[in-house]
Amino acid sequence: MKVGVLGSGGMGESVIQHLKLCKDVSDIVALDVRAERIRQLKDKYQIKGTTNLRDILSDSAVKLVFVTASNDAHKALTLQALEADKAVMCEKPMANTLADAKAMVDEAERRKVFFQIGFECRYSKLYTKIKEWIDAGLLGQVVNTHCLYITSAREKASWRNKKALGGSMFGEKLSHYVDLPRWWIGSEVKDVFSVSSPNIMTYSEGHDNYHTTYRFKNGAVGHLTFMMGYAATFRGDPLQPNITDLQLGDGHKLRYIVVGTKGAAEADVFYRRIKRWQFGDAPDVMTSDWVENLTWDKKEDHFYYHNTTDQTHDIVKRVLTGQPPKTSARDAYETMRLSFAAEESADTGSIVSLDKMR
Ligand SMILES: NC(=O)c1ccc[n+]([C@@H]2O[C@H](COP(=O)([O-])OP(=O)(O)OC[C@H]3O[C@@H](n4cnc5c(N)ncnc54)[C@H](O)[C@@H]3O)[C@@H](O)[C@H]2O)c1
C-alpha cells in the first residue's frame, strides 16, 4: 500500500520511520510546505515527496494519509483527503476549534471513510496495563483519577505558542491526559472546572498551567495538575525518544493515580513504575495491599508511554483489512469536547457543562 504523510516535521518524520518498518507499506510520499524539508527527507529515507497536496490526493494508489502538519492545517488537509476518499489518521488535537473538529467527524461519518485520531497513549503499555487491570475487574469501578504533569518550557519559536497555529495547551498537549480517564472510566464527562494562574512562560499566548477537575456522569471524578516551565530546561520533547536519567528528580513529573472500588493503580513515567493495590476487608479497617510493582527497561520507553509505532502499524493493518478505527473519531471528539470545555473554564473562571459544548 502507498501511504501519504501530510506535514513532515518532527511527528511526520516519526511516522515515516514507523512506516519504513511496515512490510505492508510499499511506498511513502511525504508532503510539506517547505521544499527544503522534503528534499532532506527524500534523501534520508529514499521516499517520494512533494509540496503539492494534489499530487497525493489524485494518486489512486495512495489509500491512507497521516495528517501530521501543525494544528492549524489539520482541518483543511483532513477534509480534502476525505473528499478524495483516502483513509485518514489525524494527529491530536483534531482542530483548533470544536466546530472544526465536529465538521471533520461529521464528514468522515457521512462519507463512511476511515478516520482515526492520534491518541497513541491508548497503544502504550503503561496505560494499556491499567486498562487490562480495570477490564479484569482488579480495580472494581474506577471512581477517582489524578494526573500530575510537570514539564520544562517549550522553545520561544514554536508555533505552539501562537493560538492561531497551536490552539490551546489543552488541545495540543493535555487532551492525551484527559482522554485516558475517559477510556478507563467508561463514562462521559458532565462538567469541568479549571483554574490557571498568570503564565510564567510569558511568550505563550495560551495558559501554561492548570488545575482542572471534572465530573463524570457516573459519579467518578478526575483531576489534572499541569505546569510548564519549572522542570529543568530540556531542549526538545522531554518524553521523546526516551527519558534521560537526568530527568529523574530534575522537576519533570508525569504520574497517574487511578482509584477504584476494589483496588488502585499508579503509573509513573519518569520513574518507570506501574503499581497496583488491592483492597480488602478486615474486622477493624478497609485494607489495601500493594500487590504489583512493575518496571521496564529504558529501551522500551517509547512503547510504554508514546507508542506511535504500534499505532501507525495498527492503522495500516486496519485500513488494509477494512477494519474500523481502534477508537472511533466520534469518541475522540468527546475528548475534544472535554478539552475545549476545560480551556473555556480556565478562560472564564466558571464551571463548564459539557452539554453546551457542541
Ligand atoms: N501524539 C503525540 O504525542 C504528538 C507528539 C508530537 C506532535 N504531535 C502532533 O503532530 C503535529 C505536528 O507536530 P510536530 O511536532 O511534528 O510539528 P513540526 O513543527 O515539527 O512539524 C509540522 C510540519 O507541518 C508543516 N506544515 C504546516 N502546514 C502545512 C500544510 N498546510 N501542508 C503541509 N505541511 C504543513 C510544517 O512545515 C512542518 O514541517 C501536531 O498536530 C502535533 O500536535 C502529536
Side-chain angles (χ1 to χ4, degrees), residues 6-13 31-34 37 67-74 77 91-93 118-120 159-160 172 176 237 240 306 308 311:
L6 312 186
S8 303
M11 194 64 198
E13 183 166 359
L31 170 84
D32 206 277
V33 288
R34 296 180 291 147
R37 176 66 174 161
V67 176
T68 46
S70 46
N71 303 344
D72 57 306
H74 287 186
L77 291 171
E91 263 305 334
K92 50 52 46 189
F119 283 124
E120 81 279 359
W159 52 262
R160 290 169 163 89
E172 163 53 27
H176 281 306
D237 181 347
Q240 215 177 11
H306 202 65
T308 49
Q311 174 178 256

Side-chain angles (χ1 to χ4, degrees), residues 146-158:
H146 182 266
C147 177
L148 173 64
Y149 186 8
I150 295 174
T151 188
S152 46
R154 63 187 171 206
E155 282 81 3
K156 292 182 179 176
S158 173

Side-chain angles (χ1 to χ4, degrees), residues 131-141 261-263 276:
K131 180 73 169 142
E132 274 171 33
W133 285 340
I134 293 168
D135 288 349
L138 297 176
L139 304 194
Q141 173 76 43
T261 50
K262 292 187 180 165
R276 183 169 69 83

Side-chain angles (χ1 to χ4, degrees), residues 26-289:
S26 51
D27 259 321
I28 301 167
V29 51
L31 170 84
D32 206 277
V33 288
R34 296 180 291 147
E36 177 50 35
R37 176 66 174 161
I38 289 299
R39 269 193 294 278
Q40 190 190 33
L41 292 172
K42 279 167 74 174
D43 286 351
K44 188 167 173 188
Y45 296 104
Q46 283 77 55
I47 58 173
K48 298 185 174 62
T50 179
T51 54
N52 184 353
L53 177 62
R54 282 292 128 203
D55 292 344
I56 296 179
L57 299 187
S58 63
D59 182 348
S60 61
V62 175
K63 303 291 180 208
L64 164 67
V65 296
F66 286 80
V67 176
T68 46
S70 46
N71 303 344
D72 57 306
H74 287 186
K75 181 192 179 191
L77 291 171
T78 297
L79 290 181
Q80 288 175 87
L82 290 171
E83 194 182 330
D85 207 27
K86 310 298 182 195
V88 176
M89 182 281 196
C90 177
E91 263 305 334
K92 50 52 46 189
M94 292 169 79
N96 284 345
T97 69
L98 192 58
D100 284 354
K102 181 168 186 308
M104 293 155 75
V105 184
D106 286 349
E107 188 61 6
E109 288 180 352
R110 193 178 70 78
R111 290 182 179 273
K112 298 188 172 44
V113 178
F114 182 101
F115 184 34
Q116 184 166 328
I117 309 305
F119 283 124
E120 81 279 359
C121 291
R122 292 196 185 203
Y123 288 87
S124 302
K125 292 182 184 182
L126 184 60
Y127 304 117
T128 55
K129 186 75 203 168
I130 291 178
K131 180 73 169 142
E132 274 171 33
W133 285 340
I134 293 168
D135 288 349
L138 297 176
L139 304 194
Q141 173 76 43
V142 175
V143 289
N144 209 324
T145 73
H146 182 266
C147 177
L148 173 64
Y149 186 8
I150 295 174
T151 188
S152 46
R154 63 187 171 206
E155 282 81 3
K156 292 182 179 176
S158 173
W159 52 262
R160 290 169 163 89
N161 297 319
K162 303 270 177 234
K163 280 189 180 170
L165 303 179
S168 69
M169 185 73 82
F170 244 96
E172 163 53 27
K173 196 177 234 345
L174 303 179
S175 48
H176 281 306
Y177 305 101
V178 292
D179 182 61
L180 288 167
R182 282 192 54 247
W183 186 45
W184 290 327
I185 288 172
S187 171
E188 287 312 337
V189 171
K190 194 166 148 259
D191 49 19
V192 56
F193 182 54
S194 296
V195 286
S196 297
S197 76
N199 280 5
I200 54 166
M201 210 173 64
T202 49
Y203 50 84
S204 174
E205 290 177 2
H207 300 292
D208 67 2
N209 70 90
Y210 304 80
H211 293 283
T212 297
T213 301
Y214 44 108
R215 284 188 291 193
F216 287 82
K217 288 181 177 162
N218 72 355
V221 294
H223 182 85
L224 168 75
T225 292
F226 175 77
M227 291 179 214
M228 182 174 263
Y230 108 64
T233 304
F234 188 92
R235 290 187 168 82
D237 181 347
L239 288 176
Q240 215 177 11
N242 56 20
I243 303 164
T244 71
D245 292 335
L246 275 178
Q247 286 169 281
L248 300 180
D250 78 351
H252 284 88
K253 292 178 183 40
L254 179 45
R255 194 181 68 205
Y256 256 108
I257 298 168
V258 183
V259 182
T261 50
K262 292 187 180 165
E266 196 179 289
D268 194 320
V269 168
F270 288 103
Y271 284 88
R272 295 192 182 90
R273 286 278 164 211
I274 315 175
K275 301 177 184 179
R276 183 169 69 83
W277 291 259
Q278 189 171 298
F279 302 160
D281 193 25
D284 58 332
V285 70
M286 183 203 104
T287 58
S288 174
D289 290 301

